[in-house]
Amino acid sequence: MKKFLLWLHKWLGLFTGIIVVLVSLTGCIYVFHDDLKKVVYPNHFYLVNDKKETNTAALPYSAIERLAQEAVGENYPINRVDIYPAKNRTWVFRALKTDKEAFGIGNEIVYYKRVFINPYTGQVQQVEDSKREFFYQVLQLHRNLWLGSKYGGWVVGGSTVLFLVISVTGIILWWPKKWKGKTFKRSFAFDFSVNWKRLNYDFHNLLGMYSFLLAILIGFTGILFAFPTFSKSVENTLNKVDEAKFQVMEPTSFDFVDQVYVNTLDNAVQYVLQTFPTADMVSLRLGDKTSTEHNLQVRLEQDKTSKFEWIYFDKSTGQITSLQDHTYQSIALGSKVNSLKYDLHVGTIWGYPTKIMAFIGSLICASLPITGFVIWYNKSKKKKKKK
């Protein structure tokens, strides 16, 4: 049995090695992409005068959107907006068009423009061609190896599944025969007095062992992203565990939304900003022109996608029609896992401590195919010399 597991571990590792290295290294970068972008492109995300507009209200949303659309051009219709309640932040207007059937990132992303605008003055601070932006390229390399979602998504997703198999077989192969004495000590501690080949072997075994649970978590959440149908089935299955506890009655009445402006979306945005002044971000999707509702997603905590509320407003009356609360306490297990998958995958679940853990875990995952290849190469060379 052990011989078969060793064979499986070796050949799956060699087969997926380059992909795992690329996906892991880009994952290391992407863990801190929000922080890095604010350092690299400060004028994109913060007001250029570096002054909080504490006593100034934002311009009506429709006026800001019109300025953003003029800046990017009518050929690139805006379909998503990131609104930041913080007084020192720009609002981000996105124009994105994709062809999911296309091969290669250059063909899949037809265009992707972002406009960064001061919501208090209407000043356009930056217009970015995000299709060619470094961190977006890193994300696409991480997701689909620049092959496009239809083809590269399966390559990355399939390799991640195999990586989980490799991790499980690795932990079985590492498992000490004796939990005492030298065998036990060698299974947990590095010996830097040995030659480099043995040290490389120890790095492969011990780093793989110490990062096992983290690698499984990162890998499994990655699979949820790669295969949406599987993700949905996991959510539905887990929801059955405790969904009866979360049959929360829909509120029968909602806050009255003042209709200060003629445009009901202007009033919806103003209501959300006044109701959630400490929220991290408000996301607005504009793609569906046939919808009878404005839907605004309020992300409640900084750098977390898992705690949010959806608020729906009737386009004709401007009043709230429904709410969807996605805080941890109000949803069933499967929905919790689904909402947490991004925060678990990139380590934002508990801020910088877990982001650092995700970074280190991804770095170790990138090193394992390399140290594993060195082990295989040295053994192959040794066999050839014996012949």
Side-chain angles (χ1 to χ4, degrees):
M1 182 64 177
K2 186 175 181 180
K3 192 175 181 181
F4 169 74
L5 291 178
L6 184 60
W7 176 89
L8 187 67
H9 184 82
K10 175 179 69 176
W11 288 109
L12 288 182
L14 291 171
F15 180 69
T16 62
I18 293 175
I19 297 170
V20 171
V21 170
L22 286 173
V23 171
S24 299
L25 287 178
T26 51
C28 287
I29 297 171
Y30 204 72
V31 164
F32 292 104
H33 78 284
D34 278 330
D35 307 274
L36 291 170
K37 282 197 288 189
K38 289 170 188 174
V39 173
V40 177
Y41 319 122
N43 290 350
H44 288 49
F45 300 98
Y46 297 103
L47 304 188
V48 290
N49 59 12
D50 197 27
K51 169 187 169 186
K52 290 188 178 182
E53 306 283 352
T54 51
N55 299 317
T56 307
L59 298 171
Y61 166 80
S62 58
I64 307 170
E65 182 190 320
R66 185 167 57 252
L67 292 168
Q69 189 66 73
E70 289 173 0
V72 77
E74 295 300 325
N75 291 331
Y76 306 105
I78 289 167
N79 48 25
R80 179 165 171 174
V81 188
D82 298 333
I83 298 168
Y84 292 90
K87 295 290 187 176
N88 65 335
R89 293 293 301 272
T90 57
W91 291 7
V92 186
F93 291 77
R94 308 186 193 187
L96 172 64
K97 183 178 180 181
T98 61
D99 178 3
K100 295 295 183 183
E101 298 297 312
F103 177 78
I105 182 177
N107 297 316
E108 179 183 17
I109 311 300
V110 180
Y111 60 76
Y112 185 17
K113 309 285 185 180
R114 292 200 296 174
V115 182
F116 301 84
I117 192 167
N118 184 325
Y120 307 99
T121 65
Q123 177 190 359
V124 175
Q125 293 192 180
Q126 295 289 337
V127 178
E128 175 187 89
D129 185 359
S130 302
K131 179 178 177 177
R132 294 174 175 79
E133 190 268 329
F134 172 76
F135 292 102
Y136 188 69
Q137 290 286 327
V138 168
L139 175 61
Q140 295 306 313
L141 182 59
H142 181 75
R143 284 179 172 174
N144 54 53
L145 303 176
W146 293 337
L147 300 175
S149 300
K150 183 176 181 179
Y151 305 95
W154 280 95
V155 174
V156 171
S159 297
T160 306
V161 172
L162 295 180
F163 176 73
L164 293 187
V165 176
I166 295 166
S167 299
V168 172
T169 55
I171 206 72
I172 295 171
L173 292 169
W174 161 85
W175 201 264
K177 291 180 180 178
K178 297 178 181 179
W179 287 79
K180 59 182 179 179
K182 288 184 178 179
T183 303
F184 177 77
K185 185 179 179 181
R186 275 183 128 176
S187 298
F188 287 93
F190 291 98
D191 181 359
F192 293 97
S193 64
V194 297
N195 63 45
W196 73 268
K197 290 181 181 179
R198 176 67 201 194
L199 189 60
N200 177 77
Y201 182 85
D202 287 347
F203 267 107
H204 186 76
N205 281 352
L206 297 184
L207 290 180
M209 179 272 296
Y210 282 120
S211 65
F212 173 72
L213 293 178
L214 201 52
I216 292 293
L217 178 63
I218 293 172
F220 182 73
T221 51
I223 291 169
L224 295 180
F225 279 109
F227 303 116
T229 303
F230 173 69
S231 178
K232 192 64 182 176
S233 65
V234 169
E235 180 181 359
N236 292 337
T237 302
L238 292 177
N239 275 345
K240 292 176 183 177
V241 174
D242 64 351
E243 63 184 355
K245 295 188 294 183
F246 293 97
Q247 299 300 319
V248 182
M249 292 293 290
E250 180 77 13
T252 54
S253 62
F254 304 101
D255 291 344
F256 178 79
V257 181
D258 290 330
Q259 298 303 298
V260 178
Y261 304 105
V262 174
N263 188 319
T264 55
L265 184 52
D266 290 350
N267 299 309
V269 171
Q270 184 181 61
Y271 167 83
V272 170
L273 290 174
Q274 290 175 347
T275 307
F276 301 94
T278 61
D280 178 44
M281 186 181 80
V282 179
S283 182
L284 172 62
R285 277 105 171 146
L286 303 172
D288 187 3
K289 301 297 183 183
T290 62
S291 174
T292 59
E293 295 176 315
H294 304 301
N295 61 87
L296 283 79
Q297 184 194 56
V298 184
R299 195 165 73 185
L300 300 171
E301 294 186 20
Q302 186 174 356
D303 296 332
K304 283 189 181 179
T305 63
S306 53
K307 286 192 176 183
F308 61 90
E309 292 189 16
W310 281 103
I311 308 177
Y312 297 83
F313 300 82
D314 186 281
K315 282 186 176 180
S316 58
T317 66
Q319 298 304 315
I320 298 172
T321 57
S322 63
L323 298 172
Q324 290 183 15
D325 181 7
H326 280 70
T327 53
Y328 304 146
Q329 293 79 16
S330 61
I331 53 178
L333 179 61
S335 297
K336 286 178 185 177
V337 171
N338 189 55
S339 66
L340 280 167
K341 65 184 180 184
Y342 178 83
D343 292 337
L344 290 171
H345 190 66
V346 300
T348 57
I349 183 69
W350 288 312
Y352 280 106
T354 46
K355 286 173 80 169
I356 292 170
M357 286 176 62
F359 174 85
I360 294 172
S362 296
L363 196 59
I364 291 174
C365 289
S367 75
L368 294 176
I370 298 171
T371 53
F373 175 82
V374 172
I375 293 169
W376 170 80
Y377 181 76
N378 287 331
K379 286 186 176 180
S380 299
K381 235 172 38 167
K382 193 174 181 181
K383 285 180 182 178
K384 285 181 181 179
K385 283 182 179 180
K386 285 182 177 180
K387 289 180 181 180

